[in-house]
Coordinates of all heavy atoms in Angstrom, one line a residue:
A283 N -10.9 6.5 59.9 CA -12.1 6.8 59.1 C -12.7 5.4 58.7 O -11.9 4.5 58.3 CB -11.6 7.6 57.8
Q284 N -14.0 5.3 58.8 CA -14.7 4.2 58.2 C -16.1 4.5 57.9 O -16.6 5.6 58.4 CB -14.6 3.0 59.2 CG -15.3 3.2 60.5 CD -15.0 2.0 61.5 OE1 -14.4 2.2 62.5 NE2 -15.5 0.9 61.2
M285 N -16.7 3.8 57.1 CA -18.1 4.1 56.7 C -19.0 4.2 58.0 O -19.1 3.2 58.7 CB -18.7 3.0 55.8 CG -18.1 2.9 54.5 SD -18.9 1.6 53.6 CE -17.5 0.9 52.7
F286 N -19.6 5.2 58.4 CA -19.5 6.5 57.8 C -19.2 7.5 58.9 O -20.0 8.4 59.2 CB -20.9 6.9 57.1 CG -21.2 6.0 55.9 CD1 -22.0 4.8 56.1 CD2 -20.6 6.2 54.7 CE1 -22.2 4.0 55.0 CE2 -20.8 5.4 53.6 CZ -21.6 4.2 53.8
Q287 N -18.1 7.3 59.5 CA -17.7 8.2 60.6 C -16.2 8.3 60.8 O -15.5 7.5 60.3 CB -18.3 7.7 61.9 CG -17.8 6.3 62.3 CD -18.4 5.8 63.5 OE1 -19.4 6.3 64.0 NE2 -17.9 4.7 64.1
F288 N -15.8 9.3 61.5 CA -14.4 9.5 61.9 C -14.4 9.1 63.4 O -15.2 9.5 64.1 CB -13.9 10.9 61.7 CG -13.9 11.4 60.3 CD1 -14.9 12.3 59.8 CD2 -13.0 10.9 59.4 CE1 -14.9 12.7 58.5 CE2 -13.0 11.4 58.1 CZ -13.9 12.3 57.6
V310 N -12.7 1.7 53.1 CA -12.4 2.2 51.7 C -11.7 3.5 51.9 O -11.4 4.0 53.0 CB -13.7 2.3 50.9 CG1 -14.4 1.0 50.7 CG2 -14.6 3.4 51.6
I311 N -11.4 4.2 50.7 CA -10.7 5.5 50.8 C -11.8 6.5 51.2 O -12.9 6.6 50.7 CB -10.2 5.8 49.4 CG1 -9.0 4.9 49.1 CG2 -9.8 7.3 49.3 CD1 -8.4 5.2 47.7
H312 N -11.4 7.3 52.2 CA -12.2 8.4 52.6 C -11.4 9.7 52.5 O -10.2 9.7 52.4 CB -12.6 8.2 54.1 CG -13.4 7.1 54.4 ND1 -14.8 7.1 54.2 CD2 -13.1 5.8 54.8 CE1 -15.3 5.9 54.5 NE2 -14.3 5.1 54.9
G313 N -12.1 10.8 52.5 CA -11.5 12.1 52.5 C -11.4 12.7 53.9 O -12.2 12.2 54.8
C347 N -15.8 14.3 54.9 CA -15.3 13.3 54.0 C -15.5 13.8 52.6 O -16.7 14.0 52.2 CB -15.9 11.9 54.2 SG -15.4 10.7 53.1
N348 N -14.5 14.0 51.8 CA -14.7 14.5 50.4 C -14.3 13.5 49.4 O -14.0 13.8 48.2 CB -14.0 15.8 50.2 CG -12.5 15.7 50.5 OD1 -12.0 14.5 50.6 ND2 -11.8 16.8 50.5
E349 N -14.4 12.2 49.7 CA -14.2 11.1 48.7 C -15.5 10.3 48.8 O -15.8 9.8 49.9 CB -13.0 10.2 49.0 CG -11.7 10.9 48.9 CD -11.2 11.1 47.5 OE1 -11.8 10.4 46.6 OE2 -10.3 11.9 47.3
F350 N -16.2 10.1 47.7 CA -17.4 9.3 47.8 C -17.1 7.9 48.3 O -16.3 7.2 47.7 CB -18.1 9.3 46.4 CG -19.4 8.5 46.5 CD1 -20.5 9.2 47.1 CD2 -19.5 7.2 46.1 CE1 -21.7 8.5 47.3 CE2 -20.7 6.6 46.2 CZ -21.8 7.2 46.8
C351 N -17.8 7.5 49.4 CA -17.4 6.3 50.0 C -18.6 5.4 50.2 O -18.5 4.3 50.9 CB -16.7 6.5 51.3 SG -17.6 7.6 52.5
G352 N -19.8 5.8 49.8 CA -21.0 4.9 49.9 C -22.2 5.7 50.1 O -22.2 7.0 50.0
L354 N -24.0 6.7 52.6 CA -24.1 7.8 53.6 C -22.9 8.7 53.7 O -22.6 9.3 54.7 CB -24.4 7.1 55.0 CG -25.7 6.4 55.1 CD1 -25.9 5.7 56.5 CD2 -26.9 7.3 54.8
H355 N -22.2 8.7 52.6 CA -21.0 9.6 52.4 C -21.3 11.0 52.9 O -20.5 11.6 53.6 CB -20.6 9.6 51.0 CG -19.8 10.7 50.6 ND1 -18.5 10.9 51.0 CD2 -20.1 11.8 49.8 CE1 -18.0 12.0 50.4 NE2 -18.9 12.6 49.7
H356 N -22.4 11.5 52.6 CA -22.8 12.9 52.9 C -22.9 13.1 54.4 O -22.9 14.2 54.9 CB -24.0 13.4 52.2 CG -25.2 12.5 52.5 ND1 -25.4 11.3 51.9 CD2 -26.2 12.7 53.3 CE1 -26.5 10.8 52.4 NE2 -27.1 11.6 53.2
M358 N -20.9 11.7 56.6 CA -19.6 11.5 57.3 C -18.9 12.8 57.6 O -18.2 13.3 56.8 CB -18.8 10.6 56.3 CG -17.5 10.1 57.0 SD -16.8 8.8 56.1 CE -15.3 8.6 57.0
Ligands
CUA224 CU1 -16.2 8.7 53.8 CU2 -17.2 9.8 52.0

Side-chain angles (χ1 to χ4, degrees):
Q284 66 188 109
M285 292 179 218
F286 295 96
Q287 62 182 14
F288 297 106
V310 299
I311 291 178
H312 295 279
C347 175
N348 60 8
E349 294 284 343
F350 183 74
C351 54
L354 296 178
H355 157 71
H356 60 282
M358 189 164 171

